[in-house]
Amino acid sequence: MFKIKICTCLLLALAAADFASAAMPLSFTVARDWLYERSDKIKSSEANVQSKQETQKSLEMLGGPTVTVQAFQIAGQKKIDINTQVPSPIPLPGLTSFNVGLHEKMSLNGPRASATATWPIYTGGKISAAQEASKYAVDEAMAQKRADVEDLDAQLAGYYFGTQLAVSIEKLQKDMLAHQDQELAKAKKFEKQGMISKIERMSVQVQRDNRHREYLKAKDNAKVAKLQLARLLRDDDFGDLSTPLFVLNVPLQPLKYWVDTALAANPQIAVIQAKADQASEGVKAQKGAWHPQVFAFGTYNFIKHYQTLVEPNWIAGIGVNFTLWDAKDRRASIRSAEATVRQAEAGKAEAINQVRTGVEVAWLKTKNAIEQYKLSASTVKLASENLRLKSKSFGEGLATALDVNEARNQLLQAEVGRRLAAFEFVSNYAMLHAIAGQMSEFMNAVNNRQVIIEQ
């Protein structure tokens, strides 16, 4: 009984190990989740956002008071020498005044401890400019994170569906090779029966070997595509890809919609706009250097035993600081900040132009891919029927092996063209959404059924 239990446990453990080793199919949605969890680029963007947010928090109370506590030990001495004539309080003959002298050495030795508070009242706009700039720095970091995410989404779409394309072509080449193996066997049989010549049988052999080389090339391409996807996802053991290539089966939204959406939501434009806003605050901060600085201050001494006569117990007041001369050229600083604003504005104009161009190119390629895919259906159907007839004629001795091979190449070209059109659609459709900042809408297209599925 004990042995039976041990065997049962071993069998269950082996079954569990086999189940664990079998990788589950990987959908595009799950791959996207993995990418978000594991991407170092996203982690870096998130850390940058957190850094800017913490900086913004650190500046929230910048206009408030600053209180410091000081403690120190002093060693020193103050010598007092006073000689003066003091009028006599009682007028006497020949004595109208008398000399008074004070000769004292006062020790300054001892500890000191005090609290000092300063409170800026007016800084010429420097504080508000710094606070606003920090807010725009957060906006920039968040926009950059969105840009990084959109870029990774488009990259994932290219790698994921590129792998699907490579695997599909590998399977297609494998099927073609299997058919040519059958034809080679048939040609060898016909040669023995004297129905075809040795040269024709050798021609079939050469065609089969060429197909085998193409299959091996397609197999290597699929391995490379899987490797690239694995490195992007930081996972070497994912299963078969379960989201197939697809083509949109509803009308593509007009170009104007995509251009308007991109100009409103493109994250790179938002990044440059945030930079421009920060530069504008920089101009305000530099102009503030020409204004007077008004502040309140106060000091309270905790240790009074060692104080000299001139040291106050406490002191408070309001001060004004106005810089008459600065070692730094304040006018040049303002011009520098204004030039930064112009640079950001020019960069924004260039980014808008690039976004327009990117949207127009991606939209045209997407639209063309849809048309190419739909037009390829009749080509595939004709090539498939032609191969069927040529193969049948070859079996009856009415067609040569070259005729069959030509028909097969036509079918292969048509099938590959259809798959390429589907891949061109998916990759450009993803890029269109990424530029427009609408990758969530692309995910809806992946998950809904308003598409033509390419098997």
Coordinates of all heavy atoms in Angstrom, one line a residue, residues 11 38 60 106 133 183 188 193-194 206 226 229 232 264 297 304 323 388 396 429 442 453:
L11 N 3.7 10.0 -10.0 CA 3.0 10.2 -11.3 C 2.3 11.6 -11.3 O 2.3 12.3 -12.3 CB 1.9 9.1 -11.5 CG 2.4 7.7 -11.8 CD1 1.3 6.7 -11.8 CD2 3.1 7.7 -13.2
R38 N 7.1 44.4 -17.4 CA 8.5 44.1 -17.4 C 9.4 45.1 -18.1 O 10.7 45.0 -18.0 CB 8.7 42.7 -18.1 CG 7.9 41.6 -17.4 CD 7.9 40.4 -18.3 NE 7.1 39.3 -17.7 CZ 6.9 38.1 -18.2 NH1 7.4 37.8 -19.4 NH2 6.1 37.2 -17.6
E60 N 5.8 73.2 -2.8 CA 4.5 73.7 -2.5 C 4.5 74.8 -1.4 O 3.8 75.7 -1.5 CB 3.6 72.5 -2.0 CG 3.2 71.6 -3.2 CD 2.3 70.5 -2.7 OE1 2.2 70.3 -1.4 OE2 1.8 69.7 -3.5
M106 N 35.6 92.0 29.2 CA 34.4 91.1 29.2 C 34.6 89.8 28.5 O 35.1 89.9 27.3 CB 33.2 91.9 28.7 CG 32.8 93.1 29.4 SD 31.4 94.0 28.7 CE 30.1 92.7 29.0
A133 N 6.7 76.1 -12.9 CA 7.6 75.3 -13.7 C 7.7 73.8 -13.2 O 7.8 72.9 -14.1 CB 9.0 75.9 -13.6
E183 N 4.7 15.0 -55.1 CA 4.9 15.0 -56.6 C 6.2 14.3 -57.0 O 6.3 13.7 -58.0 CB 4.9 16.5 -57.0 CG 3.5 17.1 -57.0 CD 3.5 18.5 -57.5 OE1 4.5 18.9 -58.1 OE2 2.4 19.1 -57.5
K188 N 8.9 9.9 -59.6 CA 9.8 8.7 -59.6 C 9.0 7.4 -60.1 O 9.5 6.6 -60.8 CB 10.3 8.4 -58.2 CG 11.4 9.4 -57.8 CD 11.9 9.1 -56.3 CE 12.9 10.2 -55.9 NZ 13.4 9.9 -54.5
Q193 N 7.7 3.8 -64.8 CA 6.7 3.3 -65.8 C 7.0 3.8 -67.2 O 6.3 3.4 -68.1 CB 5.3 3.7 -65.3 CG 4.9 3.1 -64.0 CD 3.6 3.7 -63.5 OE1 3.0 4.6 -64.1 NE2 3.0 3.1 -62.5
G194 N 8.0 4.7 -67.3 CA 8.3 5.2 -68.6 C 7.4 6.3 -69.1 O 7.4 6.7 -70.3
V206 N 15.0 18.8 -58.4 CA 15.6 20.1 -58.2 C 14.6 21.1 -57.6 O 14.9 21.9 -56.7 CB 16.2 20.7 -59.5 CG1 16.6 22.1 -59.3 CG2 17.4 19.8 -59.9
K226 N 10.7 35.2 -33.4 CA 10.3 34.8 -32.0 C 11.4 35.3 -31.0 O 11.0 35.6 -29.9 CB 10.2 33.2 -31.9 CG 9.0 32.7 -32.7 CD 9.0 31.1 -32.6 CE 7.8 30.6 -33.3 NZ 7.8 29.1 -33.3
L229 N 10.8 38.9 -30.3 CA 9.6 39.1 -29.4 C 9.9 38.7 -28.0 O 9.5 39.3 -27.0 CB 8.4 38.3 -30.0 CG 7.1 38.3 -29.2 CD1 6.6 39.8 -29.1 CD2 6.1 37.4 -29.8
L232 N 11.8 41.4 -26.2 CA 11.0 42.5 -25.9 C 10.2 42.2 -24.7 O 10.0 43.1 -23.8 CB 10.1 42.9 -27.1 CG 9.2 44.1 -26.9 CD1 10.0 45.3 -26.7 CD2 8.2 44.2 -28.1
A264 N -4.5 66.7 -31.1 CA -5.0 66.9 -29.8 C -4.4 66.0 -28.7 O -4.3 66.4 -27.5 CB -6.5 66.8 -29.8
F297 N 11.8 88.7 9.2 CA 12.8 87.9 9.9 C 12.6 88.0 11.4 O 12.0 89.0 11.9 CB 14.2 88.3 9.5 CG 14.6 89.6 9.9 CD1 15.3 89.8 11.2 CD2 14.3 90.8 9.2 CE1 15.6 91.1 11.6 CE2 14.7 92.0 9.6 CZ 15.3 92.2 10.8
K304 N 20.6 83.0 27.8 CA 20.8 84.4 28.1 C 21.9 84.6 29.1 O 22.4 85.8 29.3 CB 19.5 85.0 28.6 CG 18.3 84.9 27.7 CD 17.1 85.4 28.3 CE 15.9 85.3 27.3 NZ 15.6 83.9 26.9
T323 N 19.1 94.2 -5.4 CA 20.4 94.0 -6.0 C 20.7 95.2 -7.0 O 20.0 95.3 -8.0 CB 20.5 92.7 -6.8 OG1 20.2 91.6 -5.8 CG2 21.9 92.4 -7.3
R388 N -4.5 23.1 -58.8 CA -5.3 21.8 -58.8 C -5.4 21.2 -60.1 O -5.2 20.0 -60.3 CB -6.7 22.1 -58.2 CG -7.5 20.9 -57.9 CD -8.9 21.2 -57.5 NE -9.7 21.8 -58.6 CZ -10.3 21.1 -59.5 NH1 -10.2 19.8 -59.6 NH2 -11.0 21.7 -60.5
E396 N -2.2 12.8 -65.1 CA -2.7 12.1 -66.3 C -1.8 12.2 -67.5 O -2.1 11.8 -68.6 CB -4.1 12.7 -66.7 CG -5.1 12.5 -65.6 CD -6.4 13.3 -65.9 OE1 -6.4 14.1 -66.9 OE2 -7.4 13.2 -65.1
Y429 N -1.8 50.2 -39.0 CA -2.9 50.5 -38.2 C -2.5 50.8 -36.7 O -3.0 51.7 -36.1 CB -4.0 49.4 -38.2 CG -5.3 49.8 -37.8 CD1 -6.0 50.9 -38.3 CD2 -6.0 49.0 -36.9 CE1 -7.3 51.2 -37.9 CE2 -7.3 49.3 -36.5 CZ -7.9 50.4 -37.0 OH -9.2 50.7 -36.6
F442 N -7.0 50.7 -30.7 CA -6.4 49.6 -31.5 C -6.7 48.3 -30.8 O -6.9 47.3 -31.4 CB -4.9 49.8 -31.6 CG -4.2 48.6 -32.3 CD1 -4.2 48.5 -33.7 CD2 -3.5 47.7 -31.6 CE1 -3.6 47.5 -34.3 CE2 -2.8 46.6 -32.2 CZ -2.9 46.5 -33.6
I453 N -10.3 37.8 -40.2 CA -9.2 37.0 -39.5 C -8.4 36.3 -40.6 O -8.9 35.6 -41.4 CB -9.7 36.0 -38.5 CG1 -10.6 36.7 -37.4 CG2 -8.6 35.2 -37.8 CD1 -9.8 37.7 -36.6

